[in-house]
Amino acid sequence: MHIIHSNIKTVQDKIQCALHKAGRQPDDAKLLAVTKTFDAQTISHAYDAGLRMFGENKVQELLTKVPILPQDVQWHVIGHLQQNKVRNAVVNAACIHSVDSPQLLERIQRIAAEENKSPDLLVEVNVSAEESKYGAKPDDVEDLLANQPKGPAQIRGLMTVAPADATELELHHIFAKLRILRDKLQTKLNIQLPELSMGMSHDFEIAIEEGATIVRVGSAIFGHRDYSITH
Ligand SMILES: *Cc1c(COP(=O)(O)O)cnc(C)c1O
């Protein structure tokens, strides 16, 4: 078995264990394979193992891979989205995880209408309030959702990136905070936000225990990233 196949099996087994431990159903969390810095041939091993959801940070890099991989791949944009990359993101992505301002949302909706596309959207929330990170402040998310511009794309949930140096206890708190914020917003605004995108290679089991519906896993599937190749 190819190493990527066995890595995927290991990750999927851990996902199932964590779901079971949390009293959740086997299909309650989806695996998004994060493919940044890996070439199409490497990614195709994950495709052959049955994965169809792939995530890229950078729209430029996404554009190089979309034409090479099969049509039924669902591409997710998970990195900070610059205004001038919105059209290529909207045209190529099934889901954008990094909506973090009213201006960006407005532009996505305008371009989605122009392009006749309806990507799923997630609002990225900076739960741990790190200065250096992207994402809307937790207090600003209600306004963003309550005053949404009309458009074909739908906000389906929330996303967060936990700090790399957080302890296990801190990770539980951060992921629980995103879930609690989601629950509060659903009730207060009477909307549905079914998706919680949280958890990466080193913390996806904790995220699942706290309610993640999408885990974004890169290095645990593809191995160590060598940024010198693409950057
Ligand atoms: C790179 C990245 C991931 C995957 O990280 P790993 O630790 O390799 O699993 C997940 N989410 C985002 C936003 C990323 O940039």
Side-chain angles (χ1 to χ4, degrees):
M1 204 197 291
H2 192 278
I3 181 75
I4 289 177
H5 286 232
S6 57
N7 288 346
I8 289 170
K9 176 143 184 18
T10 303
V11 169
Q12 281 172 330
D13 287 348
K14 287 181 177 172
I15 289 173
Q16 287 311 315
C17 274
L19 283 168
H20 183 76
K21 188 172 165 190
R24 303 176 63 200
Q25 298 302 310
D27 56 359
D28 279 355
K30 297 179 285 278
L31 175 57
L32 174 64
V34 176
T35 51
K36 64 186 181 208
T37 77
F38 296 103
D39 62 19
Q41 207 205 328
T42 306
I43 301 167
S44 69
H45 290 293
Y47 183 91
D48 293 342
L51 298 190
R52 293 295 178 268
M53 289 169 55
F54 296 120
E56 284 286 336
N57 274 56
K58 298 193 156 107
V59 175
Q60 276 324 103
E61 195 175 336
L62 171 74
L63 290 178
T64 66
K65 296 174 186 176
V66 169
I68 316 177
L69 279 135
Q71 291 275 326
D72 63 340
V73 167
Q74 286 178 36
W75 291 100
H76 290 228
V77 170
I78 61 173
H80 177 67
L81 184 56
Q82 290 169 295
Q83 302 271 353
N84 64 351
K85 302 284 164 43
V86 169
R87 190 170 302 273
N88 278 326
V90 162
V91 168
N92 292 289
C95 182
I96 298 171
H97 291 229
S98 44
V99 178
D100 61 359
S101 73
Q103 294 77 18
L104 183 59
L105 180 57
E106 176 99 43
R107 192 178 185 95
I108 290 170
Q109 291 292 25
R110 176 172 61 72
I111 291 174
E114 286 171 14
E115 299 285 349
N116 199 18
K117 293 280 186 184
S118 50
D120 287 341
L121 306 178
L122 304 175
V123 176
E124 180 172 358
V125 187
N126 188 348
V127 176
S128 49
E130 279 180 296
E131 295 286 339
S132 60
K133 242 179 31 186
Y134 296 113
K137 291 199 201 94
D139 288 346
D140 293 342
V141 181
E142 184 178 334
D143 254 13
L144 184 68
L145 290 170
N147 304 310
Q148 285 182 57
K150 290 226 181 321
Q154 213 188 345
I155 295 181
R156 303 263 308 148
L158 306 180
M159 176 271 213
T160 200
V161 181
D165 59 353
T167 65
E168 209 169 295
L169 188 64
E170 286 165 344
L171 290 166
H172 273 284
H173 280 302
I174 288 164
F175 297 141
K177 265 192 183 167
L178 194 71
R179 183 191 68 237
I180 290 162
L181 177 64
R182 186 275 305 274
D183 294 348
K184 191 190 87 177
L185 293 167
Q186 285 195 141
T187 308
K188 199 162 176 194
L189 302 174
N190 192 27
I191 55 174
Q192 293 301 310
L193 298 168
E195 304 292 352
L196 287 176
S197 166
M198 55 190 197
M200 312 185 358
S201 289
H202 68 288
D203 56 15
F204 69 86
E205 292 160 281
I206 297 172
I208 286 172
E209 285 175 42
E210 297 297 347
T213 63
I214 303 172
V215 291
R216 308 178 307 266
V217 179
S219 47
I221 292 174
F222 297 108
H224 175 70
R225 277 185 293 274
D226 184 354
Y227 283 96
S228 65
I229 294 169
T230 51
H231 298 260

